[in-house]
Amino acid sequence: MDQPPLGRRAQQRQQRLAQILAAAEQVFATAGFEGASMAAIAAAAGLPKANLHYYFGTKEALYAALLEELLRLWLSATDAIRPDSAPDAALESYIRAKMEWSRSRPHASKLFANEVLRGAPLLSAHLAGGLRAQVEEKSAVLRGWIAEGRMAPVEPRHLFFAIWAMTQTYADFETQIRLVLDVPALGEREFEDGVATVLRLVLGGLALRA
Amino acid sequence: MDQPPLGRRAQQRQQRLAQILAAAEQVFATAGFEGASMAAIAAAAGLPKANLHYYFGTKEALYAALLEELLRLWLSATDAIRPDSAPDAALESYIRAKMEWSRSRPHASKLFANEVLRGAPLLSAHLAGGLRAQVEEKSAVLRGWIAEGRMAPVEPRHLFFAIWAMTQTYADFETQIRLVLDVPALGEREFEDGVATVLRLVLGGLALRA
DNA sequence: GGAAAGCTTGACCGGGCGGTCAACATAACC
DNA sequence: GGTTATGTTGACCGCCCGGTCAAGCTTTCC
């Protein structure tokens, strides 16, 4: 919005903040809030520990800042679901976006999973607020499609739960999937198979496919 | 297998072990391994902390014992999937069993989720061993059904990932589901809707339903 | 150029953690 | 009943954690 010349100081500050947040995302995601130590995050960021406290104050504040930032991205994925969309194309686009998010930002997904597992102490307000409102809005669209006979009848909110679960599992449970598939890491192949499976279940289950 | 008379001492020992494991399951599930403290588990069990160490030695040993016990139950749910079963009945039975497990033992499911999120440091051997073998075995059954034209072609292992994700989400992400649905707790109604949704997606997606 | 404001960092602190132990209590065995 | 094996527990320990701070450094502003 407003960046006049943006002085050298402000520039370095932005970079430091991003540097710390990136390190925190990685450490928090795999260690959880309690398991992560400020020392470990500092080491991952290549900065002294006291520096993190200068910018974020407390561990919890750093964690909260990270969650807020990621939640903004997370909520912006349902754009394709609009009343005038074609149901199959809209859902396919949504599923592909979710899957791509799991692939490109697995740490973010794991971070959410950790937070929700813990009872979402810092996120419950957002879940009951912004997320719930968005689900209600998009559910209304789906109910419209169902009423018009354009897709099979389902409880739309539970459909969202199912889609979230199936797509995020490729990030959150990556370890398990990797070990069962006996591959060193999830690659193109695995994600393509995953997308194909999820699309088949959702589109097929909703009678949006031959 | 072998319980002769089973003396008073051995009886009390069994009870103590169960008592500690039950408390540990609850605390580890919501706090994670690092977040849980032996003091908290002891308090939940109504025993002094030193008593837990007498029976299990270390925190990690207690955690490992718990995981092993729960894994045994977890692996016993695929019994319905056999070559001579009807695909739709077998998968429906499997899904219902998984969903019931999420409902009756949410702590156990959360415990697994926590462990896998952390990279499964204590479970990776079992995942690459027993679980993988079981998935391969059951996948072979599904491939047989597909070859006979009794269900739509899918990568069976990814189908399992999808079913696990959809069913376990009702335990692991219970907080999120509860907040989005705006209910104080997940009850019969919510689980029935969940079962119906998962069944529709899986059976419909695999062309096992009208 | 000099003062003020913002940033960096090693050293330090109290508290809570997992784990230990010695002293005691209770059950089992002859 | 006395001896031994097993269970119980409060008190304690060293360690690592999140957080603080003062001293020094760098940029900004006049």
Side-chain angles (χ1 to χ4, degrees), chain A residues 34, chain B residues 34-40 49 59:
Chain A
E34 311 272 0
Chain B
E34 310 272 1
S37 72
M38 291 298 275
K49 181 167 67 95
K59 180 185 177 183

mmCIF file of all heavy atoms in Angstrom, chain A residues 34, chain B residues 34-40 49 59, chain C residues 14-19, chain D residues 12-18:
data_model
loop_
_atom_site.group_PDB
_atom_site.id
_atom_site.type_symbol
_atom_site.label_atom_id
_atom_site.label_comp_id
_atom_site.label_asym_id
_atom_site.label_seq_id
_atom_site.Cartn_x
_atom_site.Cartn_y
_atom_site.Cartn_z
ATOM 1 N N GLU A 34 5.342 -26.716 21.677
ATOM 2 C CA GLU A 34 6.115 -27.010 22.886
ATOM 3 C C GLU A 34 7.478 -27.584 22.553
ATOM 4 O O GLU A 34 8.464 -27.292 23.217
ATOM 5 C CB GLU A 34 5.351 -28.008 23.775
ATOM 6 C CG GLU A 34 3.907 -27.640 24.032
ATOM 7 C CD GLU A 34 3.756 -26.734 25.245
ATOM 8 O OE1 GLU A 34 4.776 -26.398 25.863
ATOM 9 O OE2 GLU A 34 2.602 -26.368 25.549
ATOM 10 N N GLU B 34 6.396 -33.657 23.462
ATOM 11 C CA GLU B 34 7.201 -32.649 24.153
ATOM 12 C C GLU B 34 6.347 -31.843 25.119
ATOM 13 O O GLU B 34 6.803 -31.496 26.207
ATOM 14 C CB GLU B 34 7.847 -31.709 23.133
ATOM 15 C CG GLU B 34 8.570 -32.401 22.002
ATOM 16 C CD GLU B 34 10.006 -32.702 22.340
ATOM 17 O OE1 GLU B 34 10.439 -32.398 23.463
ATOM 18 O OE2 GLU B 34 10.706 -33.264 21.471
ATOM 19 N N GLY B 35 5.121 -31.567 24.728
ATOM 20 C CA GLY B 35 4.265 -30.733 25.542
ATOM 21 C C GLY B 35 3.768 -31.429 26.800
ATOM 22 O O GLY B 35 3.467 -30.776 27.798
ATOM 23 N N ALA B 36 3.700 -32.739 26.757
ATOM 24 C CA ALA B 36 3.248 -33.483 27.930
ATOM 25 C C ALA B 36 4.362 -33.568 28.962
ATOM 26 O O ALA B 36 5.517 -33.778 28.604
ATOM 27 C CB ALA B 36 2.812 -34.880 27.511
ATOM 28 N N SER B 37 4.023 -33.401 30.209
ATOM 29 C CA SER B 37 5.027 -33.561 31.276
ATOM 30 C C SER B 37 4.661 -34.773 32.118
ATOM 31 O O SER B 37 3.486 -35.107 32.279
ATOM 32 C CB SER B 37 5.081 -32.314 32.158
ATOM 33 O OG SER B 37 3.933 -32.231 32.971
ATOM 34 N N MET B 38 5.686 -35.423 32.626
ATOM 35 C CA MET B 38 5.443 -36.581 33.483
ATOM 36 C C MET B 38 4.602 -36.169 34.685
ATOM 37 O O MET B 38 3.767 -36.945 35.165
ATOM 38 C CB MET B 38 6.780 -37.172 33.935
ATOM 39 C CG MET B 38 7.557 -37.828 32.816
ATOM 40 S SD MET B 38 6.701 -39.232 32.046
ATOM 41 C CE MET B 38 7.172 -40.576 33.153
ATOM 42 N N ALA B 39 4.786 -34.966 35.166
ATOM 43 C CA ALA B 39 3.989 -34.485 36.291
ATOM 44 C C ALA B 39 2.516 -34.424 35.913
ATOM 45 O O ALA B 39 1.646 -34.800 36.703
ATOM 46 C CB ALA B 39 4.486 -33.109 36.735
ATOM 47 N N ALA B 40 2.227 -33.959 34.686
ATOM 48 C CA ALA B 40 0.829 -33.860 34.250
ATOM 49 C C ALA B 40 0.207 -35.241 34.116
ATOM 50 O O ALA B 40 -0.945 -35.450 34.502
ATOM 51 C CB ALA B 40 0.747 -33.106 32.926
ATOM 52 N N LYS B 49 4.662 -38.931 40.682
ATOM 53 C CA LYS B 49 5.480 -39.001 39.477
ATOM 54 C C LYS B 49 6.499 -40.138 39.529
ATOM 55 O O LYS B 49 6.705 -40.840 38.520
ATOM 56 C CB LYS B 49 6.187 -37.653 39.307
ATOM 57 C CG LYS B 49 7.051 -37.528 38.094
ATOM 58 C CD LYS B 49 7.452 -36.069 37.854
ATOM 59 C CE LYS B 49 8.368 -35.494 38.905
ATOM 60 N NZ LYS B 49 9.795 -35.583 38.552
ATOM 61 N N LYS B 59 10.131 -41.316 30.143
ATOM 62 C CA LYS B 59 8.980 -40.754 29.437
ATOM 63 C C LYS B 59 8.861 -41.383 28.045
ATOM 64 O O LYS B 59 7.775 -41.749 27.608
ATOM 65 C CB LYS B 59 9.157 -39.240 29.333
ATOM 66 C CG LYS B 59 8.051 -38.501 28.623
ATOM 67 C CD LYS B 59 8.424 -37.026 28.499
ATOM 68 C CE LYS B 59 7.376 -36.236 27.737
ATOM 69 N NZ LYS B 59 7.781 -34.814 27.565
ATOM 70 P P DG C 14 17.759 -15.533 40.132
ATOM 71 O OP1 DG C 14 17.735 -14.497 41.187
ATOM 72 O OP2 DG C 14 18.708 -16.662 40.221
ATOM 73 O "O5'" DG C 14 16.288 -16.118 39.981
ATOM 74 C "C5'" DG C 14 15.233 -15.294 39.509
ATOM 75 C "C4'" DG C 14 14.144 -16.154 38.898
ATOM 76 O "O4'" DG C 14 14.647 -16.789 37.692
ATOM 77 C "C3'" DG C 14 13.652 -17.292 39.808
ATOM 78 O "O3'" DG C 14 12.232 -17.312 39.723
ATOM 79 C "C2'" DG C 14 14.317 -18.534 39.227
ATOM 80 C "C1'" DG C 14 14.419 -18.183 37.741
ATOM 81 N N9 DG C 14 15.538 -18.819 37.040
ATOM 82 C C8 DG C 14 16.833 -18.953 37.493
ATOM 83 N N7 DG C 14 17.619 -19.554 36.626
ATOM 84 C C5 DG C 14 16.811 -19.811 35.546
ATOM 85 C C6 DG C 14 17.096 -20.448 34.307
ATOM 86 O O6 DG C 14 18.176 -20.904 33.915
ATOM 87 N N1 DG C 14 15.975 -20.508 33.479
ATOM 88 C C2 DG C 14 14.723 -20.025 33.814
ATOM 89 N N2 DG C 14 13.767 -20.178 32.898
ATOM 90 N N3 DG C 14 14.437 -19.438 34.966
ATOM 91 C C4 DG C 14 15.519 -19.370 35.780
ATOM 92 P P DG C 15 11.375 -18.442 40.498
ATOM 93 O OP1 DG C 15 10.107 -17.833 40.936
ATOM 94 O OP2 DG C 15 12.263 -19.129 41.473
ATOM 95 O "O5'" DG C 15 11.050 -19.470 39.316
ATOM 96 C "C5'" DG C 15 10.569 -18.967 38.068
ATOM 97 C "C4'" DG C 15 10.205 -20.129 37.179
ATOM 98 O "O4'" DG C 15 11.408 -20.650 36.557
ATOM 99 C "C3'" DG C 15 9.564 -21.305 37.915
ATOM 100 O "O3'" DG C 15 8.554 -21.851 37.090
ATOM 101 C "C2'" DG C 15 10.733 -22.268 38.117
ATOM 102 C "C1'" DG C 15 11.572 -22.016 36.857
ATOM 103 N N9 DG C 15 13.003 -22.260 37.034
ATOM 104 C C8 DG C 15 13.758 -21.969 38.148
ATOM 105 N N7 DG C 15 15.020 -22.290 38.012
ATOM 106 C C5 DG C 15 15.102 -22.822 36.728
ATOM 107 C C6 DG C 15 16.215 -23.337 36.011
ATOM 108 O O6 DG C 15 17.386 -23.431 36.390
ATOM 109 N N1 DG C 15 15.847 -23.774 34.740
ATOM 110 C C2 DG C 15 14.579 -23.718 34.215
ATOM 111 N N2 DG C 15 14.422 -24.189 32.991
ATOM 112 N N3 DG C 15 13.526 -23.235 34.878
ATOM 113 C C4 DG C 15 13.863 -22.811 36.118
ATOM 114 P P DG C 16 7.420 -22.800 37.657
ATOM 115 O OP1 DG C 16 6.117 -22.168 37.413
ATOM 116 O OP2 DG C 16 7.848 -23.227 39.014
ATOM 117 O "O5'" DG C 16 7.509 -24.071 36.707
ATOM 118 C "C5'" DG C 16 7.532 -23.889 35.297
ATOM 119 C "C4'" DG C 16 8.229 -25.071 34.674
ATOM 120 O "O4'" DG C 16 9.641 -25.023 34.984
ATOM 121 C "C3'" DG C 16 7.723 -26.430 35.172
ATOM 122 O "O3'" DG C 16 7.445 -27.241 34.047
ATOM 123 C "C2'" DG C 16 8.877 -26.972 36.007
ATOM 124 C "C1'" DG C 16 10.076 -26.313 35.343
ATOM 125 N N9 DG C 16 11.240 -26.174 36.217
ATOM 126 C C8 DG C 16 11.269 -25.740 37.512
ATOM 127 N N7 DG C 16 12.466 -25.721 38.040
ATOM 128 C C5 DG C 16 13.285 -26.185 37.013
ATOM 129 C C6 DG C 16 14.695 -26.386 36.988
ATOM 130 O O6 DG C 16 15.512 -26.188 37.892
ATOM 131 N N1 DG C 16 15.105 -26.868 35.749
ATOM 132 C C2 DG C 16 14.285 -27.116 34.686
ATOM 133 N N2 DG C 16 14.876 -27.562 33.585
ATOM 134 N N3 DG C 16 12.979 -26.931 34.696
ATOM 135 C C4 DG C 16 12.535 -26.463 35.888
ATOM 136 P P DC C 17 6.693 -28.639 34.184
ATOM 137 O OP1 DC C 17 5.507 -28.581 33.311
ATOM 138 O OP2 DC C 17 6.569 -28.973 35.626
ATOM 139 O "O5'" DC C 17 7.743 -29.626 33.540
ATOM 140 C "C5'" DC C 17 8.311 -29.317 32.261
ATOM 141 C "C4'" DC C 17 9.613 -30.059 32.125
ATOM 142 O "O4'" DC C 17 10.588 -29.451 32.989
ATOM 143 C "C3'" DC C 17 9.545 -31.502 32.585
ATOM 144 O "O3'" DC C 17 9.132 -32.312 31.502
ATOM 145 C "C2'" DC C 17 11.001 -31.794 32.977
ATOM 146 C "C1'" DC C 17 11.591 -30.413 33.283
ATOM 147 N N1 DC C 17 11.993 -30.198 34.704
ATOM 148 C C2 DC C 17 13.311 -30.456 35.088
ATOM 149 O O2 DC C 17 14.110 -30.873 34.240
ATOM 150 N N3 DC C 17 13.680 -30.246 36.388
ATOM 151 C C4 DC C 17 12.778 -29.800 37.258
ATOM 152 N N4 DC C 17 13.175 -29.595 38.518
ATOM 153 C C5 DC C 17 11.431 -29.531 36.888
ATOM 154 C C6 DC C 17 11.089 -29.753 35.614
ATOM 155 P P DG C 18 8.707 -33.848 31.758
ATOM 156 O OP1 DG C 18 8.016 -34.318 30.545
ATOM 157 O OP2 DG C 18 8.038 -33.940 33.063
ATOM 158 O "O5'" DG C 18 10.119 -34.562 31.861
ATOM 159 C "C5'" DG C 18 10.904 -34.709 30.702
ATOM 160 C "C4'" DG C 18 12.200 -35.409 31.062
ATOM 161 O "O4'" DG C 18 12.810 -34.746 32.188
ATOM 162 C "C3'" DG C 18 12.025 -36.868 31.470
ATOM 163 O "O3'" DG C 18 13.117 -37.626 30.954
ATOM 164 C "C2'" DG C 18 12.039 -36.802 33.003
ATOM 165 C "C1'" DG C 18 12.983 -35.632 33.267
ATOM 166 N N9 DG C 18 12.656 -34.911 34.504
ATOM 167 C C8 DG C 18 11.425 -34.478 34.890
ATOM 168 N N7 DG C 18 11.424 -33.859 36.042
ATOM 169 C C5 DG C 18 12.745 -33.890 36.438
ATOM 170 C C6 DG C 18 13.357 -33.382 37.610
ATOM 171 O O6 DG C 18 12.846 -32.786 38.563
ATOM 172 N N1 DG C 18 14.737 -33.631 37.630
ATOM 173 C C2 DG C 18 15.418 -34.278 36.622
ATOM 174 N N2 DG C 18 16.737 -34.423 36.804
ATOM 175 N N3 DG C 18 14.859 -34.758 35.524
ATOM 176 C C4 DG C 18 13.513 -34.535 35.504
ATOM 177 P P DG C 19 13.107 -39.242 31.156
ATOM 178 O OP1 DG C 19 13.934 -39.846 30.091
ATOM 179 O OP2 DG C 19 11.731 -39.709 31.365
ATOM 180 O "O5'" DG C 19 13.914 -39.372 32.523
ATOM 181 C "C5'" DG C 19 15.240 -38.848 32.574
ATOM 182 C "C4'" DG C 19 15.773 -38.933 33.986
ATOM 183 O "O4'" DG C 19 15.102 -37.980 34.832
ATOM 184 C "C3'" DG C 19 15.619 -40.297 34.668
ATOM 185 O "O3'" DG C 19 16.916 -40.791 34.969
ATOM 186 C "C2'" DG C 19 14.812 -40.002 35.922
ATOM 187 C "C1'" DG C 19 15.060 -38.511 36.131
ATOM 188 N N9 DG C 19 14.005 -37.843 36.899
ATOM 189 C C8 DG C 19 12.672 -37.732 36.562
ATOM 190 N N7 DG C 19 11.971 -37.076 37.442
ATOM 191 C C5 DG C 19 12.893 -36.734 38.419
ATOM 192 C C6 DG C 19 12.721 -36.014 39.638
ATOM 193 O O6 DG C 19 11.691 -35.523 40.107
ATOM 194 N N1 DG C 19 13.917 -35.890 40.338
ATOM 195 C C2 DG C 19 15.120 -36.398 39.935
ATOM 196 N N2 DG C 19 16.158 -36.187 40.743
ATOM 197 N N3 DG C 19 15.305 -37.073 38.800
ATOM 198 C C4 DG C 19 14.156 -37.193 38.100
ATOM 199 P P DC D 12 15.168 -31.731 50.437
ATOM 200 O OP1 DC D 12 16.086 -31.637 51.584
ATOM 201 O OP2 DC D 12 14.202 -30.655 50.122
ATOM 202 O "O5'" DC D 12 16.038 -32.013 49.137
ATOM 203 C "C5'" DC D 12 16.831 -33.204 49.076
ATOM 204 C "C4'" DC D 12 17.205 -33.483 47.647
ATOM 205 O "O4'" DC D 12 16.042 -33.873 46.886
ATOM 206 C "C3'" DC D 12 17.804 -32.308 46.871
ATOM 207 O "O3'" DC D 12 19.216 -32.507 46.765
ATOM 208 C "C2'" DC D 12 17.103 -32.344 45.518
ATOM 209 C "C1'" DC D 12 16.342 -33.661 45.532
ATOM 210 N N1 DC D 12 15.081 -33.660 44.728
ATOM 211 C C2 DC D 12 15.025 -34.402 43.548
ATOM 212 O O2 DC D 12 16.034 -35.028 43.193
ATOM 213 N N3 DC D 12 13.892 -34.403 42.819
ATOM 214 C C4 DC D 12 12.833 -33.705 43.239
ATOM 215 N N4 DC D 12 11.727 -33.748 42.494
ATOM 216 C C5 DC D 12 12.854 -32.946 44.438
ATOM 217 C C6 DC D 12 13.987 -32.948 45.155
ATOM 218 P P DC D 13 20.155 -31.349 46.189
ATOM 219 O OP1 DC D 13 21.427 -31.396 46.941
ATOM 220 O OP2 DC D 13 19.362 -30.097 46.115
ATOM 221 O "O5'" DC D 13 20.439 -31.833 44.700
ATOM 222 C "C5'" DC D 13 20.895 -33.172 44.440
ATOM 223 C "C4'" DC D 13 21.055 -33.337 42.943
ATOM 224 O "O4'" DC D 13 19.761 -33.615 42.350
ATOM 225 C "C3'" DC D 13 21.593 -32.078 42.266
ATOM 226 O "O3'" DC D 13 22.756 -32.396 41.525
ATOM 227 C "C2'" DC D 13 20.457 -31.581 41.394
ATOM 228 C "C1'" DC D 13 19.586 -32.804 41.198
ATOM 229 N N1 DC D 13 18.143 -32.484 41.077
ATOM 230 C C2 DC D 13 17.425 -32.933 39.964
ATOM 231 O O2 DC D 13 18.003 -33.580 39.085
ATOM 232 N N3 DC D 13 16.105 -32.629 39.861
ATOM 233 C C4 DC D 13 15.508 -31.918 40.830
ATOM 234 N N4 DC D 13 14.216 -31.655 40.708
ATOM 235 C C5 DC D 13 16.218 -31.452 41.974
ATOM 236 C C6 DC D 13 17.522 -31.752 42.066
ATOM 237 P P DG D 14 23.796 -31.251 41.136
ATOM 238 O OP1 DG D 14 25.111 -31.641 41.652
ATOM 239 O OP2 DG D 14 23.210 -29.927 41.491
ATOM 240 O "O5'" DG D 14 23.816 -31.355 39.547
ATOM 241 C "C5'" DG D 14 23.759 -32.633 38.892
ATOM 242 C "C4'" DG D 14 23.195 -32.455 37.496
ATOM 243 O "O4'" DG D 14 21.774 -32.211 37.570
ATOM 244 C "C3'" DG D 14 23.780 -31.279 36.714
ATOM 245 O "O3'" DG D 14 23.996 -31.733 35.385
ATOM 246 C "C2'" DG D 14 22.708 -30.189 36.830
ATOM 247 C "C1'" DG D 14 21.431 -31.022 36.886
ATOM 248 N N9 DG D 14 20.314 -30.409 37.625
ATOM 249 C C8 DG D 14 20.384 -29.705 38.797
ATOM 250 N N7 DG D 14 19.209 -29.306 39.231
ATOM 251 C C5 DG D 14 18.313 -29.788 38.287
ATOM 252 C C6 DG D 14 16.901 -29.676 38.216
ATOM 253 O O6 DG D 14 16.133 -29.113 39.009
ATOM 254 N N1 DG D 14 16.388 -30.306 37.075
ATOM 255 C C2 DG D 14 17.149 -30.955 36.149
ATOM 256 N N2 DG D 14 16.477 -31.501 35.127
ATOM 257 N N3 DG D 14 18.469 -31.071 36.193
ATOM 258 C C4 DG D 14 18.984 -30.470 37.290
ATOM 259 P P DC D 15 24.617 -30.800 34.271
ATOM 260 O OP1 DC D 15 25.590 -31.645 33.523
ATOM 261 O OP2 DC D 15 25.029 -29.505 34.877
ATOM 262 O "O5'" DC D 15 23.368 -30.540 33.330
ATOM 263 C "C5'" DC D 15 22.507 -31.638 33.008
ATOM 264 C "C4'" DC D 15 21.335 -31.107 32.229
ATOM 265 O "O4'" DC D 15 20.343 -30.562 33.145
ATOM 266 C "C3'" DC D 15 21.688 -29.987 31.256
ATOM 267 O "O3'" DC D 15 21.137 -30.300 29.987
ATOM 268 C "C2'" DC D 15 21.062 -28.738 31.892
ATOM 269 C "C1'" DC D 15 19.901 -29.309 32.684
ATOM 270 N N1 DC D 15 19.497 -28.509 33.873
ATOM 271 C C2 DC D 15 18.134 -28.215 34.075
ATOM 272 O O2 DC D 15 17.310 -28.619 33.258
ATOM 273 N N3 DC D 15 17.775 -27.489 35.168
ATOM 274 C C4 DC D 15 18.710 -27.073 36.032
ATOM 275 N N4 DC D 15 18.310 -26.365 37.100
ATOM 276 C C5 DC D 15 20.094 -27.366 35.844
ATOM 277 C C6 DC D 15 20.445 -28.079 34.765
ATOM 278 P P DC D 16 21.645 -29.634 28.644
ATOM 279 O OP1 DC D 16 21.961 -30.693 27.667
ATOM 280 O OP2 DC D 16 22.643 -28.604 29.022
ATOM 281 O "O5'" DC D 16 20.336 -28.872 28.122
ATOM 282 C "C5'" DC D 16 19.103 -29.579 28.056
ATOM 283 C "C4'" DC D 16 17.980 -28.585 28.137
ATOM 284 O "O4'" DC D 16 17.908 -28.024 29.472
ATOM 285 C "C3'" DC D 16 18.130 -27.394 27.183
ATOM 286 O "O3'" DC D 16 16.913 -27.265 26.453
ATOM 287 C "C2'" DC D 16 18.378 -26.210 28.114
ATOM 288 C "C1'" DC D 16 17.641 -26.647 29.369
ATOM 289 N N1 DC D 16 18.085 -26.003 30.640
ATOM 290 C C2 DC D 16 17.116 -25.488 31.527
ATOM 291 O O2 DC D 16 15.920 -25.588 31.252
ATOM 292 N N3 DC D 16 17.521 -24.907 32.674
ATOM 293 C C4 DC D 16 18.834 -24.823 32.955
ATOM 294 N N4 DC D 16 19.180 -24.240 34.110
ATOM 295 C C5 DC D 16 19.826 -25.334 32.066
ATOM 296 C C6 DC D 16 19.416 -25.907 30.926
ATOM 297 P P DC D 17 16.795 -26.335 25.197
ATOM 298 O OP1 DC D 17 16.524 -27.180 24.029
ATOM 299 O OP2 DC D 17 17.972 -25.421 25.219
ATOM 300 O "O5'" DC D 17 15.499 -25.470 25.511
ATOM 301 C "C5'" DC D 17 14.349 -26.092 26.070
ATOM 302 C "C4'" DC D 17 13.600 -25.064 26.881
ATOM 303 O "O4'" DC D 17 14.297 -24.851 28.126
ATOM 304 C "C3'" DC D 17 13.541 -23.696 26.231
ATOM 305 O "O3'" DC D 17 12.387 -23.598 25.435
ATOM 306 C "C2'" DC D 17 13.482 -22.740 27.416
ATOM 307 C "C1'" DC D 17 14.011 -23.553 28.600
ATOM 308 N N1 DC D 17 15.259 -23.031 29.228
ATOM 309 C C2 DC D 17 15.184 -22.232 30.373
ATOM 310 O O2 DC D 17 14.077 -21.937 30.818
ATOM 311 N N3 DC D 17 16.325 -21.778 30.944
ATOM 312 C C4 DC D 17 17.502 -22.121 30.409
ATOM 313 N N4 DC D 17 18.611 -21.667 31.013
ATOM 314 C C5 DC D 17 17.604 -22.933 29.245
ATOM 315 C C6 DC D 17 16.471 -23.364 28.684
ATOM 316 P P DG D 18 12.151 -22.356 24.436
ATOM 317 O OP1 DG D 18 11.065 -22.729 23.506
ATOM 318 O OP2 DG D 18 13.483 -21.990 23.919
ATOM 319 O "O5'" DG D 18 11.650 -21.193 25.387
ATOM 320 C "C5'" DG D 18 10.376 -21.281 25.974
ATOM 321 C "C4'" DG D 18 10.157 -20.085 26.879
ATOM 322 O "O4'" DG D 18 11.268 -19.993 27.802
ATOM 323 C "C3'" DG D 18 10.098 -18.742 26.156
ATOM 324 O "O3'" DG D 18 9.089 -17.949 26.761
ATOM 325 C "C2'" DG D 18 11.504 -18.169 26.343
ATOM 326 C "C1'" DG D 18 11.908 -18.735 27.694
ATOM 327 N N9 DG D 18 13.348 -18.971 27.823
ATOM 328 C C8 DG D 18 14.163 -19.616 26.926
ATOM 329 N N7 DG D 18 15.411 -19.670 27.303
ATOM 330 C C5 DG D 18 15.423 -19.033 28.528
ATOM 331 C C6 DG D 18 16.504 -18.786 29.418
ATOM 332 O O6 DG D 18 17.692 -19.089 29.300
ATOM 333 N N1 DG D 18 16.084 -18.091 30.557
ATOM 334 C C2 DG D 18 14.797 -17.705 30.801
ATOM 335 N N2 DG D 18 14.590 -17.045 31.940
ATOM 336 N N3 DG D 18 13.781 -17.926 29.976
ATOM 337 C C4 DG D 18 14.168 -18.588 28.863
#
